[in-house]
């Protein structure tokens, strides 16, 4: 364990916390950051580390929306409890596509598409799509203004949009928010449902990574466990701020800024890795 490695973990946790819930691709940012401040750890561990620290980001959603997501809250009337249970059923329906197809093709996607140029391309493409969609939304009225208005069929369609995030650089939150708005959800509803959908998806992804890690005969050292816990804690606190920022921002703004940001980041990724390749 070294101070330098601890600082790298802190930076990774900050980047994860800021980018996981914003539609700007945490993968794109993590690739750049890892290239610049590469942690001195085996690749097998880093693959797990980058996924597991997302648990801290998930806990931020659980904290901020605990009352809304808790069907057993004594503060809720029976009707409100039923609505919460229905919300969880819709979240489960939206998770079905990722649970089935995601498990089957995720490894192939990571093996063949996890590179800087694919990430850059998806950053730019979805940035353009956000700008186009929000330009259309200037003359469009959202038909779904509350998460309770999302039907089971709409939830399934949002889950299908989430499959797009299997392509690195797309952004899980970006694909679900974009898809939800295409289906008529307001910006706040699209963002909230994306947050809720991330809870089972990211828990499942983390569990799957850990199981595969141990099945391949690997183990964690005490130092590596410390790094993961530290990364999760940092990601948790930064995610709390990130989620509050996003929900406050979209009350008065659209997602165009994030579209432009994605395009600029995509160009930076291409330029950085292109220059690095030429230098080699």
């Amino acid at each position: 364990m070294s101070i330098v490695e601890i600082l790298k973990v802190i930076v990774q946790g900050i980047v994860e916390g800021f980018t996981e819930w914003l539609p700007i691709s945490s993968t794109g940012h993590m690739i750049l950051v890892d290239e610049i401040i590469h942690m001195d750890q085996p690749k097998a561990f880093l693959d797990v580390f980058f996924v597991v620290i997302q648990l801290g980001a998930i806990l931020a959603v659980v904290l901020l929306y605990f009352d809304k997501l808790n069907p057993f809250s004594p503060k809720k009337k029976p009707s409100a409890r039923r609505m919460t249970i229905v919300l969880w059923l819709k979240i489960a329906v939206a998770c079905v596509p990722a649970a089935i197809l995601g498990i089957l093709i995720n490894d192939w996607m990571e093996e063949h598409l996890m590179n800087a140029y694919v990430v850059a391309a998806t950053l730019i493409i979805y940035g353009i799509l956000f700008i186009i969609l929000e330009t259309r939304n200037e003359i469009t009225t959202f038909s779904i203004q509350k998460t309770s208005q999302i039907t089971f069929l709409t939830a399934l369609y949002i889950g299908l949009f989430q499959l797009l995030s299997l392509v690195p650089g797309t952004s899980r939150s970006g694909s679900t928010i974009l898809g939800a708005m295409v289906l008529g959800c307001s910006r706040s509803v699209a963002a909230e449902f994306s947050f809720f959908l991330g809870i089972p998806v990211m828990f499942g992804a983390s569990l799957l990574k850990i199981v595969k890690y141990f099945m391949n005969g690997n183990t964690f050292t005490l130092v590596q466990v410390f790094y993961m816990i530290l990364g999760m804690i940092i990601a948790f606190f930064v995610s709390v701020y990130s989620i509050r920022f996003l929900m406050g921002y979209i009350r008065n703004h659209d997602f165009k800024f994030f579209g432009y940001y994605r395009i600029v980041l995509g160009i930076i990724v291409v330029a950085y890795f292109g220059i690095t390749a030429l230098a080699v």
Side-chain angles (χ1 to χ4, degrees):
M1 186 186 301
S2 69
I3 297 298
V4 173
E5 283 294 285
I6 291 174
L7 290 175
K8 290 178 181 178
V9 171
I10 291 173
V11 171
Q12 295 285 12
I14 291 172
V15 173
E16 167 61 27
F18 265 120
T19 61
E20 183 60 50
W21 305 111
L22 304 181
I24 54 177
S25 175
S26 60
T27 301
H29 289 79
M30 297 295 264
I31 284 178
L32 269 180
V33 172
D34 183 55
E35 181 70 18
I36 297 169
I37 56 165
H38 186 70
M39 292 175 61
D40 187 21
Q41 294 291 325
K43 184 180 183 303
F45 168 74
L46 290 177
D47 288 343
V48 176
F49 172 82
F50 291 138
V51 174
V52 170
I53 63 172
Q54 293 176 345
L55 293 176
I58 298 172
L59 293 176
V61 176
V62 174
L63 172 70
L64 293 174
Y65 291 95
F66 185 77
D67 287 336
K68 186 167 186 174
L69 294 173
N70 180 17
F72 307 109
S73 173
K75 301 177 184 177
K76 291 183 176 179
K77 296 179 179 179
S79 59
R81 293 179 184 178
R82 286 194 294 271
M83 288 179 63
T84 305
I85 292 172
V86 170
L87 173 60
W88 274 108
L89 290 174
K90 292 173 183 176
I91 292 170
V93 167
C95 287
V96 169
I100 297 175
L101 193 58
I103 291 174
L104 293 176
I105 67 174
N106 184 63
D107 288 344
W108 186 91
M109 288 285 193
E110 288 191 357
E111 182 180 350
H112 293 86
L113 299 181
M114 182 58 82
N115 62 73
Y117 300 106
V118 171
V119 170
T122 52
L123 280 168
I124 294 170
I125 290 170
Y126 283 90
I128 293 171
L129 289 176
F130 264 112
I131 295 169
I132 292 173
L133 179 62
E134 286 292 29
T135 300
R136 189 206 69 169
N137 288 340
E138 292 174 359
I139 55 173
T140 301
T141 301
F142 296 112
S143 58
I144 301 174
Q145 297 290 335
K146 299 178 180 179
T147 51
S148 59
Q149 294 177 311
I150 296 177
T151 65
F152 281 97
L153 185 59
T154 300
L156 178 61
Y157 288 153
I158 294 174
L160 291 173
F161 272 100
Q162 183 177 236
L163 285 177
L164 297 172
S165 66
L166 292 174
V167 180
T170 299
S171 168
R172 191 202 60 79
S173 61
S175 60
T176 52
I177 289 173
L178 191 71
M181 287 198 300
V182 168
L183 295 167
C185 295
S186 68
R187 295 180 186 91
S188 59
V189 170
E192 279 195 357
F193 196 72
S194 174
F195 299 157
F196 302 159
L197 189 52
I199 296 174
V201 168
M202 291 161 65
F203 261 120
S206 298
L207 179 62
L208 189 62
K209 278 285 185 182
I210 292 173
V211 169
K212 286 184 177 180
Y213 184 79
F214 284 117
M215 287 180 64
N216 289 331
N218 300 305
T219 58
F220 295 126
T221 66
L222 289 177
V223 171
Q224 290 173 337
V225 172
F226 171 76
Y227 287 159
M228 286 191 292
I229 293 175
L230 177 61
M232 286 172 56
I233 292 172
I234 299 298
F236 167 78
F237 284 106
V238 177
S239 286
V240 170
Y241 171 81
S242 180
I243 291 169
R244 285 175 173 168
F245 162 76
L246 180 63
M247 297 309 294
Y249 179 86
I250 60 178
R251 288 192 188 101
N252 301 306
H253 304 84
D254 58 27
F255 283 102
K256 281 185 181 179
F257 169 79
F258 298 107
Y260 291 119
Y261 180 90
R262 289 179 66 102
I263 293 171
V264 171
L265 180 63
I267 293 171
I268 291 173
V269 171
V270 169
Y272 177 85
F273 285 94
I275 293 171
T276 301
L278 290 174
V280 174

